[in-house]
Amino acid sequence: MKTSDVVSCWENFIENNCLEALENQIRLKNFWMNINFNKIMKFEPEFANYILDNFQTSLEIGELIILKKYNLLEFEVRLVNLPKSCEINISELRSENLDKLIVLEGIIKQKSNVRPKLVASKKECSLCRNIIVFEYFGEKLKFFKKCSCGNNGFLREISSKLIDEQLLLLEESLETFKGFAPKQIKLILEKDLTSHLLDMNSPPGSKIKVVGEVRKVPIISRDREKLAHFDTLIKVNSFEILTENFFDVLKPEERELFIKKSKELNFEKKLIESFAPGIYGHENVKKALMLCLVGGSKDKFSRNDLNLLVSGEPGIGKSCLAKFFKKISPKCRIASGESSSGVGLTATVLRDELTGGWTIQAGLLPLCNNGHVVLDEIDKLRPEELQSLQSALASQEIHISKATVSGTLPCKVGVFAICNPKEGYFDKDNSLFEQLNINSTLLDRFDLIFFLKDIPSSNDKKIAETIISREKSTPCFDELFLKKYLLFCTSHKIKWTDELNEFSKKLYQKIRNASYQKSNLRANPRTFESLRRLSTANAKLRLAEFVSKDDVMTAFYLLNSCFNFIDEANSNNIVEEEEVL
């Protein structure tokens, strides 16, 4: 298209499609406007394709038309709802995408402070009073001190133009990245995109959808010479904060099927058998992991996510359970305590490459906000790293204050932690609780603690048969069904009746009194919160409308089994079942 044709298309499009919205924005002194690209496509397909191929030039023409029409000093045109053909993953970016308009989705990993950037200035010569206009591009300023009259001396600054600028580090989301590690790319936001409202609603860990232009940045060597290689960044034109709603993948017919299946006989038993079918036994652990995926009900005063700790001897299947848990969770990452640091799990403060200031970089827990995290070998973390982790598990927030930067990042995650005994195997002569290399304060953050021992038993033959028949056997439900069903249960709302509230209070009193008499690990108010979370999760797993007494008793049995393990004596149950019933 010729330049005159582009100008004509912009004038006609603005006049016929967005004149009223444009004038409203100007009247409100919002010198920017979002334009739906679908409208441009319907208006003139050739014009729309020209914008995609010549993004910078075409947008400058449209902005100049608006500036001239309304006698403005600045105005920004933002494009939204671009076609699917523009969508690309960060790992798929290549040289052919340079200077092209693309659409990216990802997680904000790092976010700098908003800083002013100098883009233009006017200076006056001290001898001839000549006015010189300077324009600045890139990150470094270049001052031309010499005037046309030959003056090499002082140039007095009359005025300057500054804009707001912010740097973001975007990481591939779990649904899109393929490979060993998610790829990252830098984003540059300017002017109205750095507004306070957007900054408050998109902390590190938030998922966003970005429309922008791919640009190359020269890499400078240590000798301050430009290399033949380039780095890439995205000059953002518009972005949208996304709400992670995993329930949209469920079809209406699937929802009806789940409700019908939940009423079948022995359905819950089939679910447990289908969870990690390659591992024989450990029904309580599998049931607890499903409850962790489902979660409790949202509460303003306490977390609804469940935290589980499994300590077991080698070769018992802990890693296989963790891998299956990650497959079934819609949003989950695995970290190893041996190769992780406290700041890698929570957050750290780094120097911003663009502005030179300090910025907060989110760790694993904030990046998995509203999801799950598997922490393998949690006992390998250093004491100071465990300290930072325990506050995150309790409040589901990470507070950081370093290098003049302070902030709070949300980390509403359910944690599945795995560890080994101190000596590799449990010593029957010592308390199981004392054989963990984890302090009691952190242990108190877990709703359930399981101890798995590798002891010869009559089940050894069945374990061997399960290993042999892994490839041939077919579980009752496949992984996709299990994943979607548990996802559907997560969105299910549950109510507590007054009668059940009273029953749970009496049950907690008996648990607490018995724990002080019989158990090494005493029950506390967090135990009561765990009881309610587990009861709610079990009711959601059944797709029930109300929590029943059976749900509360199931939660109690799970808690009681963990206490029995710690007490290592079947006779010292925390609450005698006959007493409760």
Side-chain angles (χ1 to χ4, degrees), residues 2 29 58 90 93 117 119 142 145 155 188 202 205 229 314 344-345 406 438 469 486 492 520 553 560 563:
K2 297 180 180 179
K29 295 185 179 181
S58 57
I90 298 175
L93 287 174
K117 178 183 178 181
V119 293
K142 294 182 179 180
K145 295 184 178 179
L155 297 176
I188 299 293
S202 57
H229 300 281
L345 293 176
S406 60
I438 304 173
S469 60
L486 294 177
H492 194 66
N520 292 328
M553 291 306 302
N560 198 32
F563 277 103

Side-chain angles (χ1 to χ4, degrees), residues 183-234:
K183 302 298 185 294
Q184 301 171 351
I185 194 167
K186 297 172 186 175
L187 309 179
I188 299 293
L189 278 67
E190 291 181 349
K191 300 181 181 178
D192 57 278
L193 294 180
T194 64
S195 70
H196 178 69
L197 182 62
L198 292 174
D199 194 53
M200 290 293 291
N201 293 335
S202 57
S206 303
K207 189 175 182 180
I208 61 171
K209 186 175 184 178
V210 175
V211 175
E213 182 185 17
V214 185
R215 294 187 178 182
K216 61 180 183 293
V217 180
I219 299 175
I220 309 299
S221 68
R222 294 182 178 179
D223 301 330
R224 301 204 175 266
E225 294 182 357
K226 293 183 179 180
L227 301 179
H229 300 281
F230 292 87
D231 199 357
T232 55
L233 59 80
I234 306 294

Side-chain angles (χ1 to χ4, degrees), residues 440-452:
S440 58
T441 309
L442 180 60
L443 287 176
D444 199 38
R445 267 62 175 176
F446 290 98
D447 298 277
L448 295 172
I449 304 171
F450 292 97
F451 292 86
L452 305 182

